[in-house]
Amino acid sequence: MRFIDWLSVTQEHPEGGLPVVGKEMITKYDLQTGQILRDSPNSKPLEGSYSTYLLVRCDGSKVSVEGNPSRWQRPDNLFGLQTFDDCIQVYNLVLKDLGLPPEL
Protein backbone atom coordinates (compact mmCIF):
# COMPACT_ATOMS: atom_id res chain seq x y z
CA MET A 1 0.00 0.00 0.00
CA ARG A 2 1.36 3.44 -0.96
CA PHE A 3 0.54 6.84 0.46
CA ILE A 4 1.12 10.34 -0.83
CA ASP A 5 3.35 12.09 1.71
CA TRP A 6 4.18 15.30 -0.18
CA LEU A 7 2.53 16.98 -3.12
CA SER A 8 3.38 20.25 -4.87
CA VAL A 9 0.77 21.77 -7.19
CA THR A 10 0.89 25.01 -9.18
CA GLN A 11 -1.72 26.49 -11.46
CA GLU A 12 -1.69 29.65 -13.60
CA HIS A 13 -4.75 31.89 -13.88
CA PRO A 14 -3.82 34.25 -16.76
CA GLU A 15 -6.82 36.49 -16.13
CA GLY A 16 -5.31 37.42 -12.75
CA GLY A 17 -7.29 39.31 -10.16
CA LEU A 18 -6.69 36.78 -7.38
CA PRO A 19 -5.81 37.84 -3.85
CA VAL A 20 -2.13 37.92 -2.98
CA VAL A 21 -1.36 35.25 -0.36
CA GLY A 22 1.98 34.78 1.33
CA LYS A 23 3.96 35.49 4.45
CA GLU A 24 6.15 38.31 3.11
CA MET A 25 6.50 40.18 -0.18
CA ILE A 26 9.86 39.84 -1.87
CA THR A 27 11.07 42.45 -4.36
CA LYS A 28 13.66 41.38 -6.91
CA TYR A 29 15.59 43.99 -8.82
CA ASP A 30 18.55 44.19 -11.16
CA LEU A 31 21.64 45.36 -9.28
CA GLN A 32 23.19 46.88 -12.39
CA THR A 33 20.21 48.89 -13.61
CA GLY A 34 18.23 49.28 -10.40
CA GLN A 35 15.15 48.19 -12.32
CA ILE A 36 12.52 46.32 -10.30
CA LEU A 37 12.06 42.94 -11.95
CA ARG A 38 9.08 41.73 -9.93
CA ASP A 39 7.37 41.60 -6.58
CA SER A 40 6.26 38.20 -5.35
CA PRO A 41 5.13 36.72 -2.06
CA ASN A 42 6.95 33.86 -0.43
CA SER A 43 4.92 30.91 0.85
CA LYS A 44 2.56 31.28 3.78
CA PRO A 45 2.74 28.31 6.17
CA LEU A 46 -0.63 27.04 7.40
CA GLU A 47 -0.36 24.86 10.48
CA GLY A 48 -2.70 21.90 10.80
CA SER A 49 -3.05 19.02 13.20
CA TYR A 50 -0.08 17.23 14.76
CA SER A 51 2.47 19.85 13.67
CA THR A 52 1.77 19.32 9.99
CA TYR A 53 1.67 22.28 7.65
CA LEU A 54 0.92 23.32 4.10
CA LEU A 55 2.64 26.11 2.18
CA VAL A 56 0.39 28.35 0.07
CA ARG A 57 1.34 31.21 -2.21
CA CYS A 58 -0.50 33.35 -4.75
CA ASP A 59 0.97 36.33 -6.60
CA GLY A 60 -2.36 37.39 -8.08
CA SER A 61 -2.33 34.92 -10.98
CA LYS A 62 -0.22 31.91 -10.01
CA VAL A 63 -1.39 29.69 -7.13
CA SER A 64 0.96 27.17 -5.47
CA VAL A 65 0.24 24.68 -2.70
CA GLU A 66 2.63 22.12 -1.26
CA GLY A 67 2.83 19.90 1.76
CA ASN A 68 1.51 16.63 3.11
CA PRO A 69 -2.21 16.49 2.35
CA SER A 70 -2.43 13.04 3.98
CA ARG A 71 -1.88 14.56 7.41
CA TRP A 72 -3.83 17.80 7.02
CA GLN A 73 -6.43 18.14 9.81
CA ARG A 74 -6.80 14.37 10.27
CA PRO A 75 -6.77 12.78 13.72
CA ASP A 76 -6.17 9.38 12.05
CA ASN A 77 -3.17 10.41 9.98
CA LEU A 78 -1.27 7.15 10.44
CA PHE A 79 -2.44 5.98 7.02
CA GLY A 80 -2.14 8.54 4.25
CA LEU A 81 -4.23 9.39 1.23
CA GLN A 82 -3.69 7.05 -1.69
CA THR A 83 -5.00 8.97 -4.70
CA PHE A 84 -4.10 12.22 -6.37
CA ASP A 85 -7.80 13.21 -6.43
CA ASP A 86 -8.10 12.80 -2.63
CA CYS A 87 -5.08 15.07 -2.15
CA ILE A 88 -6.46 17.71 -4.52
CA GLN A 89 -9.74 17.68 -2.56
CA VAL A 90 -7.80 18.58 0.59
CA TYR A 91 -5.93 21.37 -1.20
CA ASN A 92 -9.14 22.73 -2.72
CA LEU A 93 -10.73 23.08 0.74
CA VAL A 94 -7.71 25.08 1.93
CA LEU A 95 -7.75 27.28 -1.18
CA LYS A 96 -11.48 27.93 -0.80
CA ASP A 97 -10.91 29.12 2.78
CA LEU A 98 -8.31 31.60 1.46
CA GLY A 99 -10.61 32.91 -1.29
CA LEU A 100 -8.61 31.25 -4.07
CA PRO A 101 -9.95 29.12 -6.97
CA PRO A 102 -9.64 25.33 -6.79
CA GLU A 103 -6.78 23.43 -8.39
CA LEU A 104 -7.60 21.24 -11.37
Side-chain angles (χ1 to χ4, degrees):
M1 190 181 299
R2 290 189 271 175
F3 305 115
I4 298 172
D5 285 336
W6 193 269
L7 181 63
S8 299
V9 181
T10 301
Q11 189 170 15
E12 286 279 346
H13 298 271
E15 68 281 358
L18 301 176
V20 174
V21 175
K23 184 176 179 187
E24 302 166 333
M25 186 65 77
I26 298 170
T27 301
K28 294 185 179 185
Y29 64 97
D30 186 308
L31 291 173
Q32 292 179 343
T33 66
Q35 179 184 10
I36 293 177
L37 302 175
R38 67 179 182 164
D39 291 328
S40 65
N42 63 356
S43 295
K44 175 181 182 174
L46 302 175
E47 190 169 343
S49 59
Y50 302 100
S51 298
T52 190
Y53 63 93
L54 298 178
L55 300 171
V56 181
R57 175 175 53 188
C58 179
D59 65 3
S61 62
K62 182 178 178 182
V63 179
S64 300
V65 184
E66 61 182 291
N68 186 344
S70 290
R71 294 187 63 190
W72 184 252
Q73 306 295 48
R74 292 182 55 203
D76 61 335
N77 62 20
L78 180 61
F79 299 103
L81 301 174
Q82 297 179 359
T83 69
F84 179 74
D85 289 339
D86 288 343
C87 293
I88 294 298
Q89 269 188 319
V90 170
Y91 283 0
N92 284 341
L93 290 174
V94 171
L95 293 175
K96 181 180 177 186
D97 287 345
L98 294 171
L100 296 169
E103 298 285 339
L104 303 177

PDB file of all heavy atoms in Angstrom, residues 10-39:
ATOM      1  N   THR A  10       0.910  23.607  -8.756  1.00  0.00           N
ATOM      2  CA  THR A  10       0.894  25.009  -9.180  1.00  0.00           C
ATOM      3  C   THR A  10      -0.051  25.153 -10.356  1.00  0.00           C
ATOM      4  O   THR A  10      -0.098  24.282 -11.226  1.00  0.00           O
ATOM      5  CB  THR A  10       2.306  25.463  -9.603  1.00  0.00           C
ATOM      6  OG1 THR A  10       3.191  25.300  -8.491  1.00  0.00           O
ATOM      7  CG2 THR A  10       2.310  26.912 -10.032  1.00  0.00           C
ATOM      8  N   GLN A  11      -0.799  26.243 -10.364  1.00  0.00           N
ATOM      9  CA  GLN A  11      -1.720  26.491 -11.458  1.00  0.00           C
ATOM     10  C   GLN A  11      -1.711  27.976 -11.808  1.00  0.00           C
ATOM     11  O   GLN A  11      -1.741  28.827 -10.918  1.00  0.00           O
ATOM     12  CB  GLN A  11      -3.129  26.040 -11.075  1.00  0.00           C
ATOM     13  CG  GLN A  11      -4.109  26.064 -12.209  1.00  0.00           C
ATOM     14  CD  GLN A  11      -5.418  25.386 -11.849  1.00  0.00           C
ATOM     15  OE1 GLN A  11      -5.710  25.135 -10.696  1.00  0.00           O
ATOM     16  NE2 GLN A  11      -6.211  25.077 -12.844  1.00  0.00           N
ATOM     17  N   GLU A  12      -1.661  28.264 -13.097  1.00  0.00           N
ATOM     18  CA  GLU A  12      -1.689  29.646 -13.599  1.00  0.00           C
ATOM     19  C   GLU A  12      -3.126  30.054 -13.905  1.00  0.00           C
ATOM     20  O   GLU A  12      -3.891  29.274 -14.471  1.00  0.00           O
ATOM     21  CB  GLU A  12      -0.872  29.761 -14.888  1.00  0.00           C
ATOM     22  CG  GLU A  12       0.610  29.722 -14.679  1.00  0.00           C
ATOM     23  CD  GLU A  12       1.185  31.057 -14.254  1.00  0.00           C
ATOM     24  OE1 GLU A  12       0.515  32.093 -14.366  1.00  0.00           O
ATOM     25  OE2 GLU A  12       2.337  31.049 -13.790  1.00  0.00           O
ATOM     26  N   HIS A  13      -3.468  31.290 -13.557  1.00  0.00           N
ATOM     27  CA  HIS A  13      -4.754  31.895 -13.885  1.00  0.00           C
ATOM     28  C   HIS A  13      -4.436  33.185 -14.640  1.00  0.00           C
ATOM     29  O   HIS A  13      -4.280  34.239 -14.016  1.00  0.00           O
ATOM     30  CB  HIS A  13      -5.561  32.173 -12.617  1.00  0.00           C
ATOM     31  CG  HIS A  13      -5.889  30.935 -11.844  1.00  0.00           C
ATOM     32  ND1 HIS A  13      -7.023  30.199 -12.074  1.00  0.00           N
ATOM     33  CD2 HIS A  13      -5.202  30.286 -10.869  1.00  0.00           C
ATOM     34  CE1 HIS A  13      -7.037  29.159 -11.259  1.00  0.00           C
ATOM     35  NE2 HIS A  13      -5.945  29.189 -10.527  1.00  0.00           N
ATOM     36  N   PRO A  14      -4.295  33.106 -15.973  1.00  0.00           N
ATOM     37  CA  PRO A  14      -3.823  34.252 -16.755  1.00  0.00           C
ATOM     38  C   PRO A  14      -4.684  35.507 -16.618  1.00  0.00           C
ATOM     39  O   PRO A  14      -4.197  36.615 -16.805  1.00  0.00           O
ATOM     40  CB  PRO A  14      -3.833  33.756 -18.199  1.00  0.00           C
ATOM     41  CG  PRO A  14      -4.071  32.301 -18.149  1.00  0.00           C
ATOM     42  CD  PRO A  14      -4.568  31.948 -16.799  1.00  0.00           C
ATOM     43  N   GLU A  15      -5.955  35.323 -16.274  1.00  0.00           N
ATOM     44  CA  GLU A  15      -6.822  36.493 -16.133  1.00  0.00           C
ATOM     45  C   GLU A  15      -6.474  37.318 -14.901  1.00  0.00           C
ATOM     46  O   GLU A  15      -6.823  38.482 -14.797  1.00  0.00           O
ATOM     47  CB  GLU A  15      -8.301  36.074 -16.091  1.00  0.00           C
ATOM     48  CG  GLU A  15      -8.719  35.289 -14.858  1.00  0.00           C
ATOM     49  CD  GLU A  15      -8.355  33.810 -14.853  1.00  0.00           C
ATOM     50  OE1 GLU A  15      -7.789  33.301 -15.833  1.00  0.00           O
ATOM     51  OE2 GLU A  15      -8.642  33.148 -13.832  1.00  0.00           O
ATOM     52  N   GLY A  16      -5.755  36.707 -13.944  1.00  0.00           N
ATOM     53  CA  GLY A  16      -5.306  37.422 -12.746  1.00  0.00           C
ATOM     54  C   GLY A  16      -6.453  37.794 -11.832  1.00  0.00           C
ATOM     55  O   GLY A  16      -7.509  37.166 -11.837  1.00  0.00           O
ATOM     56  N   GLY A  17      -6.256  38.823 -11.042  1.00  0.00           N
ATOM     57  CA  GLY A  17      -7.292  39.314 -10.157  1.00  0.00           C
ATOM     58  C   GLY A  17      -7.483  38.512  -8.877  1.00  0.00           C
ATOM     59  O   GLY A  17      -8.436  38.752  -8.142  1.00  0.00           O
ATOM     60  N   LEU A  18      -6.583  37.589  -8.597  1.00  0.00           N
ATOM     61  CA  LEU A  18      -6.691  36.781  -7.384  1.00  0.00           C
ATOM     62  C   LEU A  18      -6.037  37.510  -6.217  1.00  0.00           C
ATOM     63  O   LEU A  18      -5.150  38.345  -6.416  1.00  0.00           O
ATOM     64  CB  LEU A  18      -5.998  35.431  -7.589  1.00  0.00           C
ATOM     65  CG  LEU A  18      -6.524  34.565  -8.728  1.00  0.00           C
ATOM     66  CD1 LEU A  18      -5.682  33.304  -8.863  1.00  0.00           C
ATOM     67  CD2 LEU A  18      -7.975  34.215  -8.503  1.00  0.00           C
ATOM     68  N   PRO A  19      -6.464  37.198  -5.000  1.00  0.00           N
ATOM     69  CA  PRO A  19      -5.813  37.841  -3.851  1.00  0.00           C
ATOM     70  C   PRO A  19      -4.363  37.376  -3.705  1.00  0.00           C
ATOM     71  O   PRO A  19      -4.033  36.236  -4.024  1.00  0.00           O
ATOM     72  CB  PRO A  19      -6.650  37.384  -2.656  1.00  0.00           C
ATOM     73  CG  PRO A  19      -7.409  36.201  -3.110  1.00  0.00           C
ATOM     74  CD  PRO A  19      -7.535  36.300  -4.599  1.00  0.00           C
ATOM     75  N   VAL A  20      -3.517  38.269  -3.247  1.00  0.00           N
ATOM     76  CA  VAL A  20      -2.125  37.916  -2.982  1.00  0.00           C
ATOM     77  C   VAL A  20      -2.078  37.221  -1.625  1.00  0.00           C
ATOM     78  O   VAL A  20      -2.602  37.733  -0.641  1.00  0.00           O
ATOM     79  CB  VAL A  20      -1.218  39.166  -2.990  1.00  0.00           C
ATOM     80  CG1 VAL A  20       0.196  38.818  -2.576  1.00  0.00           C
ATOM     81  CG2 VAL A  20      -1.239  39.807  -4.364  1.00  0.00           C
ATOM     82  N   VAL A  21      -1.471  36.037  -1.595  1.00  0.00           N
ATOM     83  CA  VAL A  21      -1.362  35.255  -0.362  1.00  0.00           C
ATOM     84  C   VAL A  21       0.100  34.882  -0.166  1.00  0.00           C
ATOM     85  O   VAL A  21       0.744  34.376  -1.084  1.00  0.00           O
ATOM     86  CB  VAL A  21      -2.224  33.971  -0.435  1.00  0.00           C
ATOM     87  CG1 VAL A  21      -2.014  33.111   0.793  1.00  0.00           C
ATOM     88  CG2 VAL A  21      -3.692  34.320  -0.609  1.00  0.00           C
ATOM     89  N   GLY A  22       0.612  35.132   1.010  1.00  0.00           N
ATOM     90  CA  GLY A  22       1.983  34.782   1.332  1.00  0.00           C
ATOM     91  C   GLY A  22       2.323  35.298   2.714  1.00  0.00           C
ATOM     92  O   GLY A  22       1.495  35.923   3.374  1.00  0.00           O
ATOM     93  N   LYS A  23       3.522  35.014   3.134  1.00  0.00           N
ATOM     94  CA  LYS A  23       3.963  35.494   4.452  1.00  0.00           C
ATOM     95  C   LYS A  23       4.607  36.866   4.344  1.00  0.00           C
ATOM     96  O   LYS A  23       4.378  37.750   5.155  1.00  0.00           O
ATOM     97  CB  LYS A  23       4.948  34.504   5.066  1.00  0.00           C
ATOM     98  CG  LYS A  23       5.366  34.873   6.462  1.00  0.00           C
ATOM     99  CD  LYS A  23       6.257  33.828   7.073  1.00  0.00           C
ATOM    100  CE  LYS A  23       6.662  34.281   8.473  1.00  0.00           C
ATOM    101  NZ  LYS A  23       7.638  33.396   9.054  1.00  0.00           N
ATOM    102  N   GLU A  24       5.448  37.051   3.329  1.00  0.00           N
ATOM    103  CA  GLU A  24       6.149  38.310   3.106  1.00  0.00           C
ATOM    104  C   GLU A  24       6.227  38.569   1.606  1.00  0.00           C
ATOM    105  O   GLU A  24       6.207  37.638   0.805  1.00  0.00           O
ATOM    106  CB  GLU A  24       7.579  38.222   3.650  1.00  0.00           C
ATOM    107  CG  GLU A  24       7.665  37.900   5.111  1.00  0.00           C
ATOM    108  CD  GLU A  24       9.065  37.481   5.540  1.00  0.00           C
ATOM    109  OE1 GLU A  24       9.824  36.968   4.708  1.00  0.00           O
ATOM    110  OE2 GLU A  24       9.363  37.656   6.723  1.00  0.00           O
ATOM    111  N   MET A  25       6.327  39.819   1.223  1.00  0.00           N
ATOM    112  CA  MET A  25       6.496  40.179  -0.183  1.00  0.00           C
ATOM    113  C   MET A  25       7.981  40.376  -0.450  1.00  0.00           C
ATOM    114  O   MET A  25       8.677  41.050   0.311  1.00  0.00           O
ATOM    115  CB  MET A  25       5.736  41.467  -0.509  1.00  0.00           C
ATOM    116  CG  MET A  25       5.737  41.820  -1.964  1.00  0.00           C
ATOM    117  SD  MET A  25       4.872  40.641  -3.018  1.00  0.00           S
ATOM    118  CE  MET A  25       3.184  41.078  -2.704  1.00  0.00           C
ATOM    119  N   ILE A  26       8.456  39.755  -1.498  1.00  0.00           N
ATOM    120  CA  ILE A  26       9.864  39.844  -1.869  1.00  0.00           C
ATOM    121  C   ILE A  26       9.967  40.638  -3.168  1.00  0.00           C
ATOM    122  O   ILE A  26       9.278  40.355  -4.139  1.00  0.00           O
ATOM    123  CB  ILE A  26      10.465  38.434  -2.055  1.00  0.00           C
ATOM    124  CG1 ILE A  26      10.388  37.667  -0.744  1.00  0.00           C
ATOM    125  CG2 ILE A  26      11.895  38.526  -2.557  1.00  0.00           C
ATOM    126  CD1 ILE A  26      10.724  36.207  -0.866  1.00  0.00           C
ATOM    127  N   THR A  27      10.835  41.642  -3.167  1.00  0.00           N
ATOM    128  CA  THR A  27      11.072  42.447  -4.363  1.00  0.00           C
ATOM    129  C   THR A  27      12.415  42.055  -4.951  1.00  0.00           C
ATOM    130  O   THR A  27      13.426  42.062  -4.250  1.00  0.00           O
ATOM    131  CB  THR A  27      11.072  43.948  -4.031  1.00  0.00           C
ATOM    132  OG1 THR A  27       9.808  44.289  -3.471  1.00  0.00           O
ATOM    133  CG2 THR A  27      11.319  44.778  -5.267  1.00  0.00           C
ATOM    134  N   LYS A  28      12.407  41.705  -6.230  1.00  0.00           N
ATOM    135  CA  LYS A  28      13.657  41.379  -6.914  1.00  0.00           C
ATOM    136  C   LYS A  28      13.954  42.502  -7.903  1.00  0.00           C
ATOM    137  O   LYS A  28      13.077  42.954  -8.621  1.00  0.00           O
ATOM    138  CB  LYS A  28      13.522  40.054  -7.653  1.00  0.00           C
ATOM    139  CG  LYS A  28      13.351  38.889  -6.716  1.00  0.00           C
ATOM    140  CD  LYS A  28      13.349  37.576  -7.449  1.00  0.00           C
ATOM    141  CE  LYS A  28      13.196  36.441  -6.456  1.00  0.00           C
ATOM    142  NZ  LYS A  28      13.289  35.143  -7.075  1.00  0.00           N
ATOM    143  N   TYR A  29      15.213  42.938  -7.882  1.00  0.00           N
ATOM    144  CA  TYR A  29      15.595  43.986  -8.819  1.00  0.00           C
ATOM    145  C   TYR A  29      16.999  43.744  -9.339  1.00  0.00           C
ATOM    146  O   TYR A  29      17.807  43.054  -8.733  1.00  0.00           O
ATOM    147  CB  TYR A  29      15.450  45.377  -8.187  1.00  0.00           C
ATOM    148  CG  TYR A  29      16.355  45.646  -7.020  1.00  0.00           C
ATOM    149  CD1 TYR A  29      17.555  46.331  -7.193  1.00  0.00           C
ATOM    150  CD2 TYR A  29      16.009  45.242  -5.749  1.00  0.00           C
ATOM    151  CE1 TYR A  29      18.381  46.583  -6.130  1.00  0.00           C
ATOM    152  CE2 TYR A  29      16.844  45.497  -4.667  1.00  0.00           C
ATOM    153  CZ  TYR A  29      18.024  46.169  -4.867  1.00  0.00           C
ATOM    154  OH  TYR A  29      18.834  46.414  -3.800  1.00  0.00           O
ATOM    155  N   ASP A  30      17.263  44.329 -10.493  1.00  0.00           N
ATOM    156  CA  ASP A  30      18.547  44.189 -11.164  1.00  0.00           C
ATOM    157  C   ASP A  30      19.551  45.120 -10.487  1.00  0.00           C
ATOM    158  O   ASP A  30      19.342  46.337 -10.417  1.00  0.00           O
ATOM    159  CB  ASP A  30      18.372  44.556 -12.642  1.00  0.00           C
ATOM    160  CG  ASP A  30      19.621  44.293 -13.449  1.00  0.00           C
ATOM    161  OD1 ASP A  30      20.710  44.757 -13.058  1.00  0.00           O
ATOM    162  OD2 ASP A  30      19.503  43.623 -14.487  1.00  0.00           O
ATOM    163  N   LEU A  31      20.637  44.557  -9.985  1.00  0.00           N
ATOM    164  CA  LEU A  31      21.639  45.361  -9.282  1.00  0.00           C
ATOM    165  C   LEU A  31      22.366  46.341 -10.199  1.00  0.00           C
ATOM    166  O   LEU A  31      22.836  47.388  -9.753  1.00  0.00           O
ATOM    167  CB  LEU A  31      22.658  44.448  -8.597  1.00  0.00           C
ATOM    168  CG  LEU A  31      22.128  43.642  -7.418  1.00  0.00           C
ATOM    169  CD1 LEU A  31      23.189  42.655  -6.925  1.00  0.00           C
ATOM    170  CD2 LEU A  31      21.715  44.561  -6.288  1.00  0.00           C
ATOM    171  N   GLN A  32      22.486  45.999 -11.464  1.00  0.00           N
ATOM    172  CA  GLN A  32      23.192  46.882 -12.389  1.00  0.00           C
ATOM    173  C   GLN A  32      22.336  48.060 -12.825  1.00  0.00           C
ATOM    174  O   GLN A  32      22.823  49.187 -12.904  1.00  0.00           O
ATOM    175  CB  GLN A  32      23.669  46.095 -13.596  1.00  0.00           C
ATOM    176  CG  GLN A  32      24.750  45.099 -13.241  1.00  0.00           C
ATOM    177  CD  GLN A  32      25.200  44.288 -14.455  1.00  0.00           C
ATOM    178  OE1 GLN A  32      24.524  44.244 -15.473  1.00  0.00           O
ATOM    179  NE2 GLN A  32      26.353  43.660 -14.332  1.00  0.00           N
ATOM    180  N   THR A  33      21.066  47.821 -13.107  1.00  0.00           N
ATOM    181  CA  THR A  33      20.210  48.895 -13.613  1.00  0.00           C
ATOM    182  C   THR A  33      19.334  49.523 -12.538  1.00  0.00           C
ATOM    183  O   THR A  33      18.819  50.621 -12.722  1.00  0.00           O
ATOM    184  CB  THR A  33      19.297  48.381 -14.737  1.00  0.00           C
ATOM    185  OG1 THR A  33      18.369  47.435 -14.191  1.00  0.00           O
ATOM    186  CG2 THR A  33      20.104  47.746 -15.853  1.00  0.00           C
ATOM    187  N   GLY A  34      19.130  48.797 -11.433  1.00  0.00           N
ATOM    188  CA  GLY A  34      18.229  49.282 -10.397  1.00  0.00           C
ATOM    189  C   GLY A  34      16.765  49.065 -10.735  1.00  0.00           C
ATOM    190  O   GLY A  34      15.886  49.457  -9.982  1.00  0.00           O
ATOM    191  N   GLN A  35      16.517  48.437 -11.868  1.00  0.00           N
ATOM    192  CA  GLN A  35      15.147  48.194 -12.316  1.00  0.00           C
ATOM    193  C   GLN A  35      14.504  47.089 -11.472  1.00  0.00           C
ATOM    194  O   GLN A  35      15.100  46.053 -11.220  1.00  0.00           O
ATOM    195  CB  GLN A  35      15.135  47.774 -13.784  1.00  0.00           C
ATOM    196  CG  GLN A  35      13.772  47.478 -14.328  1.00  0.00           C
ATOM    197  CD  GLN A  35      13.846  46.964 -15.766  1.00  0.00           C
ATOM    198  OE1 GLN A  35      14.905  46.657 -16.280  1.00  0.00           O
ATOM    199  NE2 GLN A  35      12.704  46.871 -16.394  1.00  0.00           N
ATOM    200  N   ILE A  36      13.257  47.342 -11.030  1.00  0.00           N
ATOM    201  CA  ILE A  36      12.522  46.319 -10.296  1.00  0.00           C
ATOM    202  C   ILE A  36      12.054  45.272 -11.299  1.00  0.00           C
ATOM    203  O   ILE A  36      11.397  45.595 -12.294  1.00  0.00           O
ATOM    204  CB  ILE A  36      11.322  46.919  -9.539  1.00  0.00           C
ATOM    205  CG1 ILE A  36      11.824  47.834  -8.432  1.00  0.00           C
ATOM    206  CG2 ILE A  36      10.435  45.813  -8.970  1.00  0.00           C
ATOM    207  CD1 ILE A  36      10.745  48.540  -7.664  1.00  0.00           C
ATOM    208  N   LEU A  37      12.433  44.022 -11.051  1.00  0.00           N
ATOM    209  CA  LEU A  37      12.063  42.940 -11.952  1.00  0.00           C
ATOM    210  C   LEU A  37      10.688  42.390 -11.626  1.00  0.00           C
ATOM    211  O   LEU A  37       9.900  42.117 -12.523  1.00  0.00           O
ATOM    212  CB  LEU A  37      13.111  41.821 -11.900  1.00  0.00           C
ATOM    213  CG  LEU A  37      14.535  42.251 -12.255  1.00  0.00           C
ATOM    214  CD1 LEU A  37      15.506  41.110 -12.050  1.00  0.00           C
ATOM    215  CD2 LEU A  37      14.584  42.741 -13.701  1.00  0.00           C
ATOM    216  N   ARG A  38      10.410  42.197 -10.326  1.00  0.00           N
ATOM    217  CA  ARG A  38       9.084  41.733  -9.927  1.00  0.00           C
ATOM    218  C   ARG A  38       8.955  41.735  -8.415  1.00  0.00           C
ATOM    219  O   ARG A  38       9.935  41.688  -7.686  1.00  0.00           O
ATOM    220  CB  ARG A  38       8.780  40.347 -10.470  1.00  0.00           C
ATOM    221  CG  ARG A  38       9.637  39.272  -9.865  1.00  0.00           C
ATOM    222  CD  ARG A  38       9.298  37.917 -10.403  1.00  0.00           C
ATOM    223  NE  ARG A  38      10.148  36.962  -9.710  1.00  0.00           N
ATOM    224  CZ  ARG A  38       9.948  35.688  -9.676  1.00  0.00           C
ATOM    225  NH1 ARG A  38       8.942  35.175 -10.311  1.00  0.00           N
ATOM    226  NH2 ARG A  38      10.762  34.896  -9.021  1.00  0.00           N
ATOM    227  N   ASP A  39       7.715  41.784  -7.982  1.00  0.00           N
ATOM    228  CA  ASP A  39       7.366  41.598  -6.577  1.00  0.00           C
ATOM    229  C   ASP A  39       6.625  40.275  -6.492  1.00  0.00           C
ATOM    230  O   ASP A  39       5.743  40.004  -7.309  1.00  0.00           O
ATOM    231  CB  ASP A  39       6.435  42.709  -6.084  1.00  0.00           C
ATOM    232  CG  ASP A  39       7.124  44.054  -5.991  1.00  0.00           C
ATOM    233  OD1 ASP A  39       8.330  44.065  -5.705  1.00  0.00           O
ATOM    234  OD2 ASP A  39       6.459  45.072  -6.198  1.00  0.00           O
TER     235      ASP A  39
END
